[in-house]
């Protein structure tokens, strides 16, 4: 979960909960600064990712003495291990050294909450297996980090960042963890997260947990890492691992992907199993990968999919999943694709920084042969902002789903949501020093009736599917929708919590539909991602489009671990400061340009 609105008393809770009203207030209050933004957007005509970010020229082989882990893809690492220039055990050692240098010491981004004490031995066994019979697949010997709400039946804790779940480890692997092991991946450790996937408090700062403390954004250390999967996103962005797993209920994969300049794939609900994952709400929970490239994230997704009797929702994926999503990587994938721009949803027009990046991105896609349908508006419009349907669903399901999960755990201090609430009160100096547990209080109190829940489920489907994503895609015969994932990351604020202006996760979250967020540009060095959204099980199309967009723009930059945004020193920005168009000016220019663009759709 990314964020929820604030609720102050029981009278408000059942009648006046508007789950993101603060977003609209923030948009109205915070937009004026956009006109002076300095953007740093890759030009498709000049971008060369190889020369800009990598130490090797195309065709040069891997050298463990000179290559930085930030520059290596899964295919690079597999080639090096297959040729004998690298072993998985050596790779684990290099990542552990970087964790010590970057996460524990140095800038101290604090992405990791625990390391696997058996990682070296697992890697050694996988090296021996490779020598004897070859690799199992693309993840053989690759270290992977898991969000600390994914069960591992080993020596590591699974705590959702809460001290209330510290005790005996889980009794067995989550299905996704077991699939990673079967594919030959090395589970390197667990990442920090927003405690209880950001569903404990009415307000909170992303990346903080009572067990793990505060995770920092590697681009500017005073900025938020965003989303509850913040540690998993930062671990990939900071080069502490190649790939990681996160979970999303509403925004918790795609928002840290955007804020940390990486790729995040939020799958269709039911494409990946949630068995053994600490839940928020079964209607919206899903597990997905992070990578520095679309190819890396796609390689992981193919390992995670498949029907699982431990999670009935995966039955819906029968005949609709692929064990190799890298087959859909196509650098020319934008040509002829019909991509809609949803202008009436609040995704555009609330943040000039993100809008200016989007305007350039749209022009780049047109140049690559895409058909842009602008506007491609939702019939439901902003209703997902103003209706409390999603909140009712999440509050109702949270207590029931969490209690069912806690019944599977032994050797920990809590066995129900009521126990968690009591534990937090008894340990308030460590658990409640910054944020309350108002969302848990709402859930525990059974704030909404069975009928209110059923009505909310129906409204959520109507708003997000029948009058939302499904409707607009059918009307304009679209392959995908394109929108800013998030505004540039705001400063970490342990007093007031997160501040969102542009936020596009909710319709897909409510629908249970997939999203791929990919780097699109940056503002003062702060990454901004854009996402491709589609209908149920449309991951192949979204991956194709995101990969083509990535190859077109090469927008990603490696983080520099700067202490703050260096707005006072133009030299640090790489170009002089200059005025940029406001969102309204950008929108007007697009309206004017549309008359002259034959490949703008209707």
């Amino acid at each position: 979960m990314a964020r929820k609105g604030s609720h102050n008393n029981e009278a408000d809770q059942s009648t006046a909960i508007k789950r993101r009203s603060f977003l609209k207030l923030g948009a109205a209050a915070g937009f004026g600064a956009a006109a002076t933004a300095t953007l740093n957007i890759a030009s498709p005509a000049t971008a060369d990712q190889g020369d800009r970010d990598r130490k090797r020229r195309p065709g040069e082989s891997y050298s463990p003495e000179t290559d930085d882990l930030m520059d290596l893809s899964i295919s690079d690492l597999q080639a090096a291990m297959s040729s004998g220039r690298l072993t998985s055990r050596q790779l684990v050692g290099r990542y552990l050294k970087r964790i010590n240098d970057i996460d524990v010491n140095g800038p101290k981004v604090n992405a990791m909450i625990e390391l696997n004490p058996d990682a070296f031995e697992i890697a050694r066994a996988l090296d021996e297996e490779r020598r004897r019979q070859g690799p199992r697949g693309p993840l053989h010997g690759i270290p992977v980090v898991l969000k600390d709400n994914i069960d591992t039946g080993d020596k590591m804790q699974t705590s959702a960042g809460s001290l209330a779940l510290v005790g005996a480890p889980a009794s067995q692997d989550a299905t996704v963890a077991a699939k990673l092991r079967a594919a030959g991946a090395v589970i390197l450790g667990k990442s920090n997260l927003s405690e209880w996937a950001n569903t404990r408090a009415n307000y909170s700062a992303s990346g903080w947990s009572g067990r793990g403390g505060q995770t920092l954004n590697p681009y500017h250390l005073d900025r938020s890492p965003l989303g509850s999967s913040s540690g998993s996103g930062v671990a990939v962005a900071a080069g502490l691992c190649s790939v990681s797993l996160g979970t999303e209920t509403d925004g918790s994969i795609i928002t840290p992907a955007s804020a940390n300049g990486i790729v995040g794939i939020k799958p269709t609900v039911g494409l990946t199993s949630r068995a053994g994952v600490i839940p928020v709400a079964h209607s919206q929970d899903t597990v997905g990968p992070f990578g520095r490239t679309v190819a890396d994230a796609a390689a992981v997704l193919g390992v995670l999919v498949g029907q699982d009797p431990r999670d009935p929702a995966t039955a819906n994926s029968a005949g609709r999943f692929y064990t190799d999503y890298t087959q859909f990587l196509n650098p020319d994938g934008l040509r002829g694709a019909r991509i809609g721009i949803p202008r009436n949803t609040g995704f555009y027009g609330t943040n000039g920084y993100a809008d200016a990046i989007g305007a350039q991105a749209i022009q780049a896609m047109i140049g690559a042969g895409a058909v842009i349908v602008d506007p491609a508006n939702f019939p439901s419009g902003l209703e997902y902002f103003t209706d409390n349907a999603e909140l009712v669903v999440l509050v109702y399901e949270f207590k029931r789903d969490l209690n069912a999960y806690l019944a599977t755990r032994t050797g920990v201090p809590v066995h129900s949501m009521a126990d968690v609430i009591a534990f937090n009160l008894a340990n308030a100096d460590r658990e409640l020093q910054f944020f309350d547990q108002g969302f848990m209080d709402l859930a525990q109190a059974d704030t909404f009736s069975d009928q209110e829940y059923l009505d909310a489920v129906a409204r959520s489907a109507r708003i997000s599917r029948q009058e939302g994503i499904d409707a607009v895609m059918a009307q304009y015969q679209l392959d995908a929708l394109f929108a800013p994932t998030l505004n540039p990351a705001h400063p970490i604020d342990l007093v007031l919590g997160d501040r969102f202006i542009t936020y596009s996760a909710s319709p897909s979250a409510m629908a249970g539909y997939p999203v791929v967020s990919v780097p699109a540009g940056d503002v003062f060095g702060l990454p901004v991602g854009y996402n491709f959204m589609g209908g149920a099980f449309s991951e192949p199309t979204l991956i194709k489009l995101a990969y083509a967009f990535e190859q077109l723009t090469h927008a990603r930059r490696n983080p520099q671990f700067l202490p703050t945004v260096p707005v006072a020193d133009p030299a640090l920005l790489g170009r002089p400061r200059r005025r940029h168009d406001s969102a309204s000016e950008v929108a007007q220019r697009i309206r004017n340009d549309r008359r002259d663009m034959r490949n703008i759709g209707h």
Side-chain angles (χ1 to χ4, degrees), residues 562-579:
L562 299 176
T564 189
V565 177
V567 293
D569 185 353
L572 294 178
L573 299 175
R575 65 179 71 178
R577 294 186 67 181
R578 63 182 177 86
R579 182 188 184 278

Side-chain angles (χ1 to χ4, degrees), residues 66-416:
T66 60
D67 276 349
D68 190 282
L69 292 174
M70 292 295 296
D71 303 327
L72 301 174
S73 67
I74 287 176
S75 61
D76 290 331
L77 296 172
Q78 285 296 344
M81 287 189 283
S82 294
S83 67
R85 299 191 304 276
L86 177 71
T87 67
S88 178
R89 196 172 190 280
Q90 289 171 337
L91 184 57
V92 167
R94 291 197 67 204
Y95 278 126
L96 291 177
K97 181 181 185 303
R98 187 167 176 90
I99 289 170
N100 184 68
D101 293 345
I102 299 293
D103 203 58
V104 179
N105 299 297
K108 299 181 180 179
V109 294
N110 198 36
M112 301 300 297
I113 203 167
E114 185 170 4
L115 296 175
N116 186 354
D118 296 325
F120 272 123
E121 180 55 32
I122 293 169
R124 185 205 61 76
L126 288 166
D127 286 334
E128 178 60 28
E129 180 181 325
R130 181 188 293 271
R131 283 191 291 270
R132 287 187 287 103
Q133 58 193 59
R136 302 182 192 180
L139 295 190
H140 189 108
I142 301 295
V144 179
V145 165
L146 307 186
K147 185 177 180 180
D148 183 39
N149 62 350
I150 299 174
D151 284 352
T152 53
D154 52 19
K155 298 173 184 175
M156 291 187 289
Q157 302 288 323
T158 304
S159 71
S162 173
L163 297 168
L165 273 181
V166 174
S171 60
Q172 63 176 321
D173 281 345
T175 298
V176 289
K179 284 178 173 289
L180 287 171
R181 292 193 206 271
V186 180
I187 297 178
L188 187 64
K190 300 285 186 76
S191 60
N192 196 23
L193 70 161
S194 306
E195 187 174 315
W196 294 108
N198 234 355
T199 48
R200 191 195 80 187
N202 292 330
Y203 65 94
S204 62
S206 288
W208 183 89
S209 71
R211 181 182 174 213
Q214 179 66 54
T215 296
L216 308 181
N217 188 307
Y219 286 84
H220 296 102
L221 301 174
D222 63 343
R223 294 277 161 162
S224 175
L226 269 302
S228 78
S229 302
S230 45
S232 292
V234 171
V236 171
L240 310 183
C241 58
S242 293
V243 288
S244 66
L245 293 194
T247 65
E248 177 161 329
T249 307
D250 186 331
S252 286
I253 290 175
I254 66 170
T255 60
S258 177
N260 295 287
I262 57 174
V263 175
I265 300 177
K266 178 258 180 182
T268 303
V269 171
L271 183 67
T272 59
S273 173
R274 290 87 50 87
V277 178
I278 299 175
V280 174
H282 64 266
S283 291
Q284 294 184 195
D285 289 349
T286 188
V287 181
F290 293 103
R292 285 187 292 276
T293 67
V294 175
D296 281 359
V300 177
L301 181 62
V303 167
L304 304 179
V305 300
Q307 294 177 267
D308 177 17
R310 296 175 63 194
D311 182 357
T314 60
N316 294 328
S317 72
R320 306 170 82 179
F321 66 84
Y322 298 84
T323 57
D324 178 14
Y325 284 90
T326 64
Q327 67 181 295
F328 303 108
L329 303 176
N330 178 2
D332 197 35
L334 287 165
R335 188 168 305 282
R338 294 180 60 83
I339 298 173
I341 311 299
R343 297 279 179 186
N344 71 333
T345 53
F347 306 158
Y348 291 88
T350 57
N351 185 268
Y353 304 137
D355 283 350
I357 288 172
Q360 291 194 22
I362 290 168
Q363 295 297 325
M365 291 193 292
I366 290 170
V371 177
I372 303 298
V373 180
D374 186 359
N377 288 332
F378 286 22
S380 56
L382 288 169
E383 198 172 349
Y384 77 95
F385 270 128
T386 57
D387 194 295
N388 69 352
E390 183 185 19
L391 182 66
V392 174
V393 171
L394 301 190
V395 168
Y396 185 93
E397 292 182 359
F398 187 25
K399 171 185 174 180
R400 292 158 177 79
D401 291 351
L402 182 60
N403 285 348
Y405 168 83
L406 291 175
T408 70
R409 295 291 298 273
T410 59
V412 294
V414 297
H415 303 287
S416 67

Side-chain angles (χ1 to χ4, degrees), residues 25-42:
L25 293 173
F31 175 69
T36 60
T38 299
L39 305 182
N40 183 11
I41 307 173

